[in-house]
Amino acid sequence: MSETTSTRRDALRSIAVSLAAAGAIGEADAQHVHHEVAEVKKAAAGVYKPKVFTPHEWKTLAMLADLIIPADEVSPSATAAGAPEFIDLLANNNERLRTIFTGGLGWLDRECEKRHQALFVNAKPTQQKALLDLIAYRKNAEADPSLLPGIAFFDWARRMTVDAFYTSPLGVKDIGYVGNKGMTTFQVPADALAYALKRSGLG
Amino acid sequence: MQVQRSAPVHDVVVIGSGAGGGTAVKVLTDLGVKVALLEAGPMLNPAKEFKEHVWPHQVPHRGAGDNAESYFGRKDFGYFSAPNGWWDIEGEPYTVAEGQRFRWFRSRILGGRTNHYGRITLRFADYDFKPYSRDGLGTDWPISYDEIAPWYDKAEAFIGVTGSKEGIRSAPDGVFMPPAAPRVHEVLIQKACGRLNIPCVPARLAVITKPLNGRIACHYCGQCGRGCVTASNYSSSQVQIFPAMKSGRLTIFSNAMARELITNAEGKVTAVSYIDKATRTEKQIRCRAVIVAASACESARLLLNSKSPRHPNGLANSSGVVGRFLTDTTGFSMSGYVPALAGMKKHDTDGIGGGHVYMPWWLWEQQKDIGFPRGYHIEVGGGYGMPGVNAFYGSTRRHEGYGASLKKKIRDEYGCFVGLAGRGEMIPNEKTFCDIDPTVVDRWGIPVLRFHFEWADYEIKQVEHMRNTFAEIIEKMGGQVLGDKKAGGISVGGEIIHELGTVRMGNDPKTSALNKYCQAHDVKNLFVADAAPFVSNPDKNPTLTICALSWRTSEYLAEELKKGNV
């Protein structure tokens, strides 16, 4: 770890903590700073060397993952949760996944070039979105069956990105899972029960 | 191959270490009998092998498996499940008759399938033992509810079962520990069922909520399926076999695959021939009596493969019933989204692994009116589960899209789902059985089983009733059924892992292989103590009845040994 990143990380952390504690910044901003911290921390841990993907594929995969699960006011994005690394690891150990992902990323570039004269990573955000809007929905194949390989690939990319994100500590926190602790007596919060009973009309 | 014979003669050799074998080991060693236990898989080391409390992010593959098995259906119970077995075991195939489907889940480890199973612990009802008398279908058991009830009591008191006294005929009350409180979605299900006149009662699970025999009470982490390091749920390995090892009367032979039962001129079993998997050599253990508890189909296979001039159809099979009358439980599932749960304060719903409530069968007096002869029970799912691989695939398939809106939908919907699973009775039929495949052997040279399986209209109609009922329950909660209400159907045979009936008991040696003590009619020192002796497959999970029958058989055997009758 270089001194620079260490210093920057520590600085960011102390800023976030003190500002949030003072009420000077909102939760969303504090979260943003936390995100920064995570990014710097990751960079400090050394650059991950993909086992399967070329540098270009890796860049495309990371971009795709963050388009699927972007950062929002609650939590950071899929790359902060290690989604590309997760996909790389499993694609390395499973030939079917390897073909699905290298093939799918290739399809994405060819299709993007055909439609927008640019590789996916170089396309404008509106162009990227236009292409994803076509392959993110199965029903689009009815009008244009040539989209089928892209739709099949995107289903895998979305599925595994979502898995990587929600199985990470960031995702667990985002979704609010508070278990895996154990209890001495199993108890249900009375206010939660009252809330659901009232809304169900069964109370 | 040179066969090595062991010098000592054991009182009893028990083949298989699941619920039946584990109970036999416990009861026999308690009664002073010397037991040799054969297990086809390795020993179990819970401290090392149970993945309780591990987070997905603590393993690089997040629980998908090193080779992404969870994405391709090869590890149906997932990476975190207790070591439990497989639908396919390398080198140990089985075959299925052309054009048919059957799946056989086998376990090869001490404790067998009890290490991971659902812990649902239900008594059969009085009428379940007399199905033929009730509706003219199937065959009556040679025992009644009253005859087996004392052993249900013993088994429940020993393994520990949650529950409450309800007085419902289809679900007889037992010896219960206090049940866990229902989760929020389970309270809604109970209320909805109340309006539909469907009973919904505290679940009966083999989990201890108070200390028992040195085992500490459940700590409500919801991970029973991963194996419990505190042995707060029942597994034969931890609750019966490990304690029995301290008796000094138990010898365990692991990685020992039983191949054949050897008989003498008087037709009695004198030894068990097995493959020592580590050395791939054949060995024999001599014994005074044998209890076969290798799982229903594996037990049938062993008997069918124990052929000799005196027993040309296999051992204990002069009736020809071994392998016949195979059944599995019917299965059907439906999920729903329940808006009433949206926005609720997040809280820890882990609890006991599995539902805290269930619905026993309620229409046993109206079978004629509803158009099918036998019932089912309903199991429930829901709550804020630990996020895992594939947990959100259903949501992404439904919503599709991507980006911040998808992320918000997943967040908002989390914990707002309920699942209902029906488990019903299949009636034995002529077309469903297993026999020895004439051409295939496994890697140990042992001929393998070939399955034949067909559901009848009885089961198909029952599952349609589940479909309509589940939709009603979900809608009564204000919920929406996920996906097409008409989609999906009955499970594939074997998939519910309640395969049984293949070495059935009965009073008539012409139509049954075993007597009422699960002792072979043809071979006095041969007993069967898994689910193979079952005469029918009621809408109750079989484990408790396996334990009760094995307990009774083991006491009977100990007494017969003492009297010198076997």
Side-chain angles (χ1 to χ4, degrees), chain A residues 14-37:
Chain A
S14 62
I15 291 166
V17 169
S18 58
L19 289 183
I25 61 170
E27 221 171 85
D29 295 324
Q31 195 62 54
H32 173 74
V33 180
H34 279 302
H35 183 197
E36 288 278 301
V37 173

Side-chain angles (χ1 to χ4, degrees), chain B residues 175-373:
Chain B
V175 180
F176 293 136
M177 290 216 162
R183 303 170 176 99
V184 173
H185 68 276
E186 292 168 338
V187 173
L188 298 189
I189 290 171
Q190 274 186 317
K191 300 261 182 198
C193 285
R195 297 193 176 186
L196 294 165
N197 292 317
I198 298 170
C200 182
V201 303
R204 293 164 180 189
L205 298 165
V207 173
I208 55 173
T209 52
K210 292 194 296 189
L212 179 68
N213 301 329
R215 297 158 60 203
I216 64 170
C218 175
H219 56 274
Y220 306 104
C221 76
Q223 297 172 23
C224 289
R226 296 187 182 199
C228 184
V229 290
T230 58
S232 303
N233 58 24
Y234 167 66
S235 62
S236 59
S237 46
Q238 291 179 288
V239 174
Q240 294 169 323
I241 298 170
F242 291 157
M245 287 167 77
K246 293 178 191 144
S247 70
R249 289 185 282 274
L250 174 63
T251 313
I252 299 178
F253 296 81
S254 57
N255 290 310
M257 179 76 188
R259 189 186 64 79
E260 185 181 353
L261 304 179
I262 309 295
T263 47
N264 64 10
E266 293 145 39
K268 282 172 83 172
V269 177
T270 55
V272 178
S273 213
Y274 70 93
I275 308 293
D276 173 27
K277 288 183 172 180
T279 58
R280 220 180 297 140
T281 52
E282 177 141 357
K283 294 181 178 172
Q284 283 188 1
I285 306 183
R286 294 192 293 153
C287 57
R288 290 172 66 199
V290 64
I291 292 184
V292 182
S295 83
C297 297
E298 205 68 82
S299 292
R301 179 186 177 201
L302 179 61
L303 296 180
L304 291 171
N305 277 331
S306 298
K307 277 187 200 174
S308 61
R310 174 185 280 272
H311 305 285
N313 300 323
L315 201 58
N317 195 27
S318 63
S319 64
V321 302
V322 175
R324 315 296 301 193
F325 306 104
L326 168 67
T327 53
D328 185 28
T329 293
T330 63
F332 175 79
S333 304
M334 188 182 276
S335 304
Y337 171 71
V338 182
L341 297 167
M344 183 168 67
K345 187 177 86 179
K346 300 284 195 323
H347 57 277
D348 186 342
T349 61
D350 288 349
I352 293 177
H356 288 186
V357 300
Y358 92 111
M359 294 79 114
W361 181 234
W362 64 101
L363 297 171
W364 66 89
E365 277 169 355
Q366 284 113 282
Q367 301 278 178
K368 283 208 176 77
D369 309 328
I370 56 179
F372 58 94

Side-chain angles (χ1 to χ4, degrees), chain A residues 93-168:
Chain A
N93 294 351
N94 185 297
E95 201 189 322
R96 273 176 72 183
L97 279 182
R98 200 150 64 233
T99 307
I100 287 166
F101 276 88
T102 57
L105 291 168
W107 184 94
L108 194 68
D109 268 346
R110 298 295 83 73
E111 197 66 20
C112 202
E113 281 182 314
K114 205 162 74 190
R115 291 172 187 268
H116 307 295
Q117 297 75 50
L119 294 171
F120 188 77
V121 291
N122 299 330
K124 291 177 190 147
T126 50
Q127 295 171 332
Q128 290 172 338
K129 185 172 183 305
L131 181 51
L132 294 191
D133 284 345
L134 288 175
I135 59 174
Y137 301 92
R138 292 190 294 278
K139 67 172 186 313
N140 290 343
E142 289 166 20
D144 183 359
S146 77
L147 293 171
L148 279 168
I151 290 170
F153 164 63
F154 192 78
D155 187 63
W156 273 105
R158 181 172 53 204
R159 175 185 195 174
M160 292 184 70
T161 299
V162 162
D163 281 347
F165 181 76
Y166 290 103
T167 55
S168 76

Side-chain angles (χ1 to χ4, degrees), chain B residues 131-155:
Chain B
Y132 180 79
S133 301
R134 183 177 166 222
D135 58 22
L137 299 168
T139 308
D140 287 349
W141 291 57
I143 54 172
S144 65
Y145 177 82
D146 289 339
E147 280 175 273
I148 195 178
W151 284 275
Y152 274 147
D153 290 349
K154 287 187 192 192

